[in-house]
Amino acid sequence: MNITHRAAKLAECFARNPWKILGLALSLSVLALWATVQLPVYTSRQALLPQNTDVAKRFNAFLKNFGAASDLMVVLEGAPRSELESFANDLAAKLRAEPEIGQATSRLDMAFFLDHSYLLMPAEGLDKLTAMAKRPIPGGGLEENLSKALSWAKDHPPLGGTDTDLQTAEAGLNLAAFFLEEWQRWLSAESAPAALDWSRLLAKNGAGGMADGYFASRDGKMLFLFVHPKNASGDFEYLGPFVEKVKQVSAALSGQAKAAGHIPPTVGLTGLPAIEYEEYVNIRKDITLVIFTSAGLIAALILLVVRSVRWAVLIFIPMGLGVLWSLGLALVTVGHLTIITAAFIAILFGLGADYGIFTSSRIAEERRAGKPLVEAIGAGIGSSFIAVLTAGGASLLIFGALATVDFPGFAELGLVAAKGVLMILISTWMVQPALYALLPPKLKEINSAITQTVPAGLGKYSGRFPKPAAVALVILAIGCAVFGGVKGLGIPFDYDLLGMLPKDSQAAYYQRRMVAESDYQAEVIIFTAKDMAEARRITREAGKLNTIAQAQSLTSLFPEDSGERLHKAVSIGESFARTDYSRQVAALDRAGLSEKSFELLRAVLENSTPIIDEAQEQAFSAGHSKLVESLENVRGQLSDISAKLAADGEQGRVRTESFLRALLSGADTGLKVIDTWRQAQPLSPEQLPPALRDRFFGADGSIAVYAFPAKTVYDPANLDALIKDVYSISPDATGFPTTHQVFSKAVVDGFTRGTQLALVLCLLWIMAATRSVRGFALAALPLLIGGGWMLGLMALGGIRYNFANIVALPLVIALAVDYGVWFSYRWSELKGHSPLEVSLAAGKVIGLAAGTELAGLGAITLASYQGVSSLGISITLGLVCCLTATLIVAPAIGQLLDSRRKP
């Protein structure tokens, strides 16, 4: 007894005992439903990544030690800087009070850094302060000192003979240029500024974007808050409430600012937590949309074509039960779902409907031939069994090949999909006969559009291609497929995860702006050092790399000579306490800038030009071109200020007096800081502010150094150069860029091998099942030709592979293999009919099957998440190509291979 006959007898048995079979199916479904309810869905990206690699182990070790590796970044813009700072401070304070928030940092504690500035400033600066404290204080007020300065400017000694080195001279000129720029700002502003803009000076000394401790863009128009969750898990159970709380608090604070008559800043969220949040929310929304849309479209299509509710039930119920059983089976095999495997349900809907369409159409054909119901069910199942087994087995092997990929997210997709196909096949063969016996569609309800009756004739047409036309069609089809396959080999892979987010993604928008406009970005490199000496080395070497924009560490607070610096700081504080600097600064502030002092100041400025010219000549003679440029810059600033003061008159004096008071306020702050040095004590990590201690010191005492890449890490060339430099400093470095490099290549390499293996297994299976050259060619060539066309159209259309649509080709192979297989078997069955007659007969069922797949998978193109949408576009393109190759090219192939076939 052959397998076809056994399948037919088994189907008859199921049809004669429908209630027993449906009772068994119901029991299995209840059990599967219980298992599905217990099935956890892992929403973290970590669930998709291999955990047995070195980079993953290093990253997980860091998470365990430090609690989190990525910050949620809150971006503020669109308001004056003072309002941005006020809003940032208020927002950070409110966020820290929320239970979901672990830490929120709007700025560094500058008071702490000022109090310990003796640890941060160059050693030469401490020596100069020591000398300054010992130097006698110039007597007299501002007027007297300006008179002395004017006399010196008019009759000064030669400038040469000093022992000032070039670096010190350039630093002094930069400082002078900063104060002159600020003076000009005071003179030209509509209203006098509130304080000196120290960000200009910080930027010139390599610390741009850190004025007053705020994290800012290079132009200072965007501020950034770094927010840590209380629970660092990437699972949406914790990530969702964390991000939503930040949004809620930000919106509430914006509302309060608006109610108070202020224009609140624009608030944006970015960083990896925001990206993962957007990713999950949009994919979850898209999955819901796709499942209901695809189910509705498939049902509508089947009802429209077959015009029978019963027939739709016969197709849908076995498919739905198969999907449910596969989900229940996932609990005892994989143990969980991910956002990728959960999204595959829509694909199973499209694929699973094919088998029910094929079998039910053959049953209907047997009934139309006059066979009794049970016998027709058995004959229909039996005659379609080999074809369905061939197609389903090929899909099962293809998905099984994906399970070999060294990337858990996609390997699990292959495993879940393979078991889904198996369960749908079992459900179709077991449940459909029983259902059909209970709910047989009335023959008059069975639309001939679905039954596979062969056309009575094609009129004056023979139904055969003219041989030259058949040869030309096949050669052209194969040639285009080869061309497409070659072009497909050159389709680039897009490593940019941001490009997969929705087009209106806030996280992607601000992340790209941060890379372009600041020295910060979410994708940070993290070094860990066992002690402070190693942390100093890493910070020093990372700061020299062109691939690193800036390196953040606390090593400057723990210099090697900290003990010596502490001793000097105490001594300087005590020395300044014995001076009269504070009283003199207060006296100058009270006196202000009189008209006579103002005129003396203008005279000093005018007489400074010859001194600058003399210094330029000496610098030029010594070959110091950079120093010449700096002197010329200062000369131009002095000339501009002199011209502005002459033009503005009294307003110039008032503005200059305001600028002088700002300078004196800064000097008074500096003196107060120096006074605190008298009580300076050795600094330990435990004394650091919590935000700094938690970020830079791990639970085991290790020290973190954060390095922000200079360029986007989503460009493979940038990423490879960055990682090469990073590992040259420390092979133990971690962070998103290190995992992204390894896992991206694992995805590309794994899927290349997985797709090749899937195609080979598919072809070998078809060859074994068809057992003839003609049968194999008719089953396989439409798939190969359609796949080649698909790749060619993707290349010509500029579609690039990404982390989502890279699965499109193996999915198309699994989905479209049915078309060629069904056509091959119908060709063998309808021996007395012409190629076009076979195409018309088989095309009814193949078209409906393809229609259900396109309805289900075409819905994916509606997804807002561009990664999912691009997958839908690629699969739709592939299915249309394979369908066209099956219905148009396959008949010509059959005619050439079966030349003696007569209609």
Side-chain angles (χ1 to χ4, degrees), residues 191-432:
S191 57
L196 295 174
D197 184 4
W198 293 105
S199 61
R200 295 172 182 262
L201 183 62
L202 290 168
K204 288 183 178 181
N205 289 278
M210 281 297 295
D212 297 329
Y214 290 96
F215 306 100
S217 58
R218 298 186 189 100
D219 62 6
K221 294 181 179 180
M222 285 194 300
L223 293 188
F224 311 118
L225 278 75
F226 293 81
V227 186
H228 258 29
K230 180 77 73 174
N231 189 311
S233 170
D235 196 272
F236 196 78
E237 178 185 356
Y238 304 101
L239 177 65
F242 163 62
V243 175
E244 286 158 8
K245 179 61 69 173
V246 173
K247 286 184 174 184
Q248 177 186 336
V249 173
S250 301
L253 187 60
S254 295
Q256 293 174 14
K258 192 173 183 179
H262 301 290
I263 299 177
T266 301
V267 181
L269 303 184
T270 188
L272 288 180
I275 290 171
E276 292 180 7
Y277 174 86
E278 281 192 8
E279 194 172 63
Y280 179 78
V281 168
N282 283 281
I283 289 178
R284 182 177 61 182
K285 179 182 69 177
D286 291 338
I287 289 174
T288 303
L289 169 69
V290 167
I291 288 176
F292 284 101
T293 303
S294 62
L297 287 175
I298 292 171
L301 178 64
I302 293 175
L303 288 173
L304 180 65
V305 174
V306 303
R307 299 178 186 178
S308 170
V309 174
R310 289 189 177 188
W311 202 322
V313 169
L314 294 174
I315 295 171
F316 261 92
I317 289 183
M319 177 190 67
L321 292 179
V323 172
L324 178 60
W325 296 352
S326 67
L327 288 175
L329 191 60
L331 180 65
V332 296
T333 52
V334 180
H336 60 266
L337 292 181
T338 65
I339 55 176
I340 293 179
T341 50
F344 192 73
I345 295 174
I347 296 177
L348 280 180
F349 276 150
L351 176 62
D354 289 3
Y355 309 136
I357 291 171
F358 291 156
T359 55
S360 61
S361 65
R362 291 293 286 118
I363 295 172
E365 188 173 346
E366 297 296 335
R367 289 183 66 198
R368 279 190 174 276
K371 291 181 180 178
L373 179 62
V374 172
E375 186 180 339
I377 292 173
I381 293 292
S383 61
S384 63
F385 183 80
I386 294 295
V388 172
L389 177 64
T390 303
S395 297
L396 195 152
L397 288 172
I398 291 165
F399 290 128
L402 291 186
T404 65
V405 174
D406 293 331
F407 199 78
F410 292 130
E412 291 174 3
L413 167 63
L415 193 59
V416 170
K419 291 174 181 175
V421 170
L422 179 61
M423 291 297 102
I424 291 174
L425 285 173
I426 293 173
S427 178
T428 300
W429 288 325
M430 183 177 79
V431 176
Q432 192 181 68

Side-chain angles (χ1 to χ4, degrees), residues 889-900:
V889 182
I893 295 173
Q895 179 177 313
L896 294 176
L897 292 176
D898 195 3
S899 58
R900 289 182 292 181

